[in-house]
Structure formats: C-alpha cells, structure tokens
Amino acid sequence: MAEFDMTFKLLMFGDGGVGKTSLTQRYVTGVFVDSQRITIGVDFHIKELTLEGKRIKLQVWDFGGEERFRFLLPNYCRGASGGMFLYDITSLTSLSHLVDWMQIVRQNAGLVPILMVGAKADLANLRKVQPQEAIETAKANKLSGFAEVSAKTGENVEKTFETITRLMMKKLAARSATSS
Ligand code: GDP
Ligand code: MG
C-alpha cells in the first residue's frame, strides 16, 4: 500500500521580503523564526496532512524572490499542482508585481490553482493594501481565492494551506475524470 494517496508540488512565489520563507516555516514547523536569512535559489519542504480521508504529501517549494535567481523560475514551476502568490499587506509594490510573476508561472505550470495571499496581517497599523484591492486583482488575473495570513501570529496559516490543497485535489479529480 502506498504511503500517500496524493503528492502535490506547491509553489510559493512573490517578491523578496514578503514573507514566503517565514510562512513556509510556520506551516511546516509550527514556529515563527524572525530571520533575515535570504533564500538562495529554492528551498523545498515536505508537509504531510490528511484531508477528506486522503493522505497527502505536500512539497512546498519556497522560491528565492531575488532578481538574480529569476533564471531558475521556469524550472521551478514545472510540474507544480498549485501555488500561492504572496504580497506584503504593507507594500503596494509587492502586489503590483503579481502580473510579472503570474506570466512565468502560467507559462511553466499551466492553469493550476493559485491563491492570492496577503502576508504579515499582524502589521495592520502599517497596512497599504486593502483586502478589496487584492481581491479585485486576484479576480482580474484568474486566481482561485484570497486570504490574509500572519506567519508571526499563525493567523489563518493552516487554513490557507488547506484551502489550496483542496483546490489542487479538485483539479486532480477533474483531470482524472476527463482523461478516463
Ligand atoms: P521572503 O523573502 O519572502 O522569504 O521573506 P521572509 O520570510 O524572509 O521575511 C522577510 C521579513 O519579514 C523577515 O524579517 C520576517 O521576519 C518578516 N516577516 C515575515 N512574515 C511576517 C509576519 O507574518 N509578520 C511580521 N510582522 N513580519 C513578518
Ligand atoms: Mg525567502
């Protein structure tokens, strides 16, 4: 018997500094590490979860958003089942780069579900992006949903990874149905 019913490759993408590594760490290890460490290239983490009675292995690919690593991005996207686009709620610029990121992701990963994720929700007093603006941007770019999270407090973290996992499960089921 296989150990897992499904394996998904999940991409974390968005500008450097928006909180991809912190969110990934928080989800995978359950703690917030206030680190200044820059991700070099790509880090990859495994999380096991059970949803709807299925044992799922989630491979979380945390991309180093720094410009000098962009050449890795097309390869990093290949074979992905879904992704999270992260922006920082205190930075309008980080949201405005969605289109550039999505172009590369769509080209290399296809029409997989992508969530719009506003990070650092605990910094509400420094907020520059209103949820409504992010939701409209998500719709205009055919993303599959929206959430705000905080890696620092843990707010919405588990739930958001579950949401994207459910969307990837749905997509897989739809694909199996049409190919049989
Ligand atoms: P990445 O470049 O997208 O991987 O971003 P990092 O995860 O390295 O985070 C960049 C900075 O933002 C670090 O100093 C983190 O401690 C900080 N940070 C990340 N997530 C949060 C959060 O949820 N709340 C707060 N207040 N700071 C955060
Ligand atoms: Mg990082």
Side-chain angles (χ1 to χ4, degrees):
M1 200 171 79
E3 203 185 335
F4 294 101
D5 298 304
M6 327 173 177
T7 300
F8 294 121
K9 174 176 175 179
L10 176 68
L11 307 177
M12 308 295 285
F13 61 98
D15 288 1
V18 296
K20 300 177 296 296
T21 300
S22 304
L23 181 62
T24 304
Q25 290 287 350
R26 164 62 93 166
Y27 180 58
V28 172
T29 68
V31 292
F32 176 65
V33 187
D34 191 3
S35 131
Q36 301 298 320
R37 194 176 72 86
I38 287 175
T39 314
I40 307 293
V42 179
D43 272 346
F44 149 165
H45 304 266
I46 302 285
K47 174 86 175 185
E48 302 174 11
L49 69 158
T50 301
L51 264 186
E52 297 166 17
K54 304 281 188 217
R55 287 157 307 170
I56 297 158
K57 181 174 168 181
L58 208 55
Q59 300 177 343
V60 185
W61 292 56
D62 170 25
F63 184 69
E66 291 69 30
E67 204 56 52
R68 66 203 154 106
F69 296 121
R70 288 273 172 115
F71 73 96
L72 290 171
L73 192 58
N75 273 320
Y76 159 81
C77 293
R78 271 176 211 127
S81 315
M84 290 191 194
F85 169 78
L86 262 75
Y87 68 94
D88 174 345
I89 69 156
T90 72
S91 159
L92 204 48
T93 314
S94 67
L95 177 67
S96 74
H97 290 155
L98 171 80
V99 177
D100 308 333
W101 283 104
M102 284 302 287
Q103 197 172 1
I104 306 171
V105 172
R106 288 283 183 233
Q107 206 162 51
N108 296 283
L111 279 173
V112 297
I114 308 275
L115 280 189
M116 171 74 94
V117 178
K120 311 189 189 179
D122 57 288
L123 298 178
N125 54 331
L126 300 171
R127 176 188 289 280
K128 297 276 167 26
V129 183
Q130 296 305 323
Q132 197 51 40
E133 182 167 2
I135 290 167
E136 276 160 24
T137 308
K139 279 187 189 150
N141 290 277
K142 301 198 161 43
L143 273 68
S144 306
F146 164 78
E148 283 191 354
V149 303
S150 168
K152 188 164 187 173
T153 66
E155 178 193 347
N156 250 345
V157 171
E158 197 110 346
K159 196 171 152 218
T160 302
F161 279 90
E162 283 188 15
T163 301
I164 189 65
T165 305
R166 281 181 210 283
L167 288 167
M168 294 188 293
M169 289 170 82
K170 229 168 105 182
K171 176 94 183 179
L172 182 68
R175 198 179 302 157
S176 318
T178 51
S179 66
S180 61

